[in-house]
Each structure stands twice: as structure tokens, then as C-alpha cells.
Amino acid sequence: MIVIFLGPPGAGKGTQAAYISQKRGIPQLSTGDMLRAAITAGTPVGKKAKAVIDAGELVSDEIVAGIIADRIDEDDCRKGFLLDGFPRTLEQARMLDDIIAFRNRKIDVVLALQVDENALVDRLNSRIQQTKDAGGEVRSDDNVETFRKRLEVYSTQTAPLIPYYRDQGLIADIDGMKPINVVSAQIDSVLDGLS
Ligand code: AMP
């Protein structure tokens, strides 16, 4: 099962992808997590990505598509995988189509998390607070200014993926404004309907 999570920053993609990953036993592939790991490890990709991420902009299509292409060839992706934060541009979506077709696989569904964008800044502030309360480190791009930039990048570069996938009949609309467990239940019912 190959599932894509689409939605603006703070819509709950990571939370829901983690739930589904655990429940269905397929890995969650988050390009954001992979890039942050590359930054921490000080790899050449990490060095290139740091300033771009801190500015709330997008890392190059080639870099992220390359990371995903390598990752899905690993054994644990044989049964399927969840893409969280990729693709984020039309070019990435086309690259993903090629990557998947080359491996004789297909995308099963694209979950479009619909949220009221005005609520997202409030969610960001709670995420910052919760991280601090738990003694964790707040992401360097989790501040209101960078977040607004990430939202703008989403609207201009990522939102066009919704009509792209809708035309292919792959979109399932999910009401992301509901409580976390209700959103999970909506996703479960979409995924149960696939198999
Ligand atoms: P995320 O953890 O998904 O919110 O991603 C954090 C940041 O990593 C984004 O704001 C981008 O700078 C970068 N990033 C993550 N995924 C991608 C992607 N698919 N394409 C380009 N940049 C990405």
C-alpha cells in the first residue's frame, strides 16, 4: 500500500502518518525528518539543506526525490510505505510517478488533510509549548515568521498537487479539523476500503 499525505504545515500529517505506520506495519517516510537527520549528521545534503529549511523554503526537487528513491528500495518498504511531506511540488509529483512506475508499483491513495489555515498558527503555538513542556528541542523552523513562509510555499507550490491527483482519481478528502482520533478513524475507513 502506497499512501501520500498532503496538507499544509501543522495539518497533522506527521501525527496521522505515525499512527497509520504503527497500525499497518508500513514505514512512514518523512522527507523533513530525513533532512533534519542529514543536518544533524553533518552530511553534504544536510549542509545544503540547513539554510533552506531555516528560511521556510523548499530543498531542491532532485535532492528530495533522490532521498525517497533510495529509501523505498529498502526492504521494509516492500509491503508499502507512507509519504509524509513528499511530494511538495508538481515536479516532485512527476518524479515520484517515474520512480514508482519504474518499480512497477502504484500509488493507492492521496489523503488530503483539509484544515482551516487560520487555525494553523494556533496549532503551531501549542506544538511549540508541548515540545518545551516535554523538555524537547523546538524545531528551528517552528517559529511564527518561518511558519508563515512555509504556509505561503504550501499554497503556491504544494496545493496544486490536489487537482493533479484529483484528476487521477486518487484524492480522499479528510476533515483535518476534527480531534486526532476522529481524523485517524476517517483515514482508517479510507484505507480499509482499499484492500
Ligand atoms: P516538514 O518536516 O515536512 O515540515 O519539512 C520541514 C522542511 O524540510 C520544509 O519546510 C522544507 O524546507 C524541507 N522539506 C521537507 N520535505 C521537502 C520536500 N518534499 N521538498 C522540498 N523541501 C522539503
Side-chain angles (χ1 to χ4, degrees), residues 8 115-122 147 151-152 154-155 159 177:
V115 286
D116 167 5
E117 295 208 2
N118 295 320
L120 294 177
V121 174
D122 291 342
F147 189 77
L151 275 179
E152 180 198 315
Y154 173 81
S155 304
M177 294 308 292

Side-chain angles (χ1 to χ4, degrees), residues 9-10 13 30-33 35-36 49 52-61 64-65 68 84-89 92 127 139 141-142 146 150 153:
K13 297 185 297 294
S30 156
T31 38
D33 285 350
L35 290 166
R36 283 184 287 276
V52 180
I53 291 181
D54 285 349
E57 286 167 7
L58 293 183
V59 174
S60 86
D61 294 332
V64 284
I68 287 293
D84 157 19
F86 178 89
R88 256 182 160 94
T89 64
Q92 289 178 23
R127 177 155 102 183
R139 277 170 50 171
D141 59 347
D142 267 356
T146 310
R150 287 160 63 201
V153 167

Side-chain angles (χ1 to χ4, degrees), residues 7 27 36 53 59-60 79 103 109 113 117 122 125 127 132 165 169 178 184 187 189:
R36 283 184 287 276
I53 291 181
V59 174
S60 86
K79 251 178 64 187
R103 289 160 176 79
V109 70
L113 279 129
E117 295 208 2
D122 291 342
N125 285 324
R127 177 155 102 183
K132 283 185 181 159
Y165 285 123
K178 295 272 189 308
S184 302
I187 295 175
S189 94

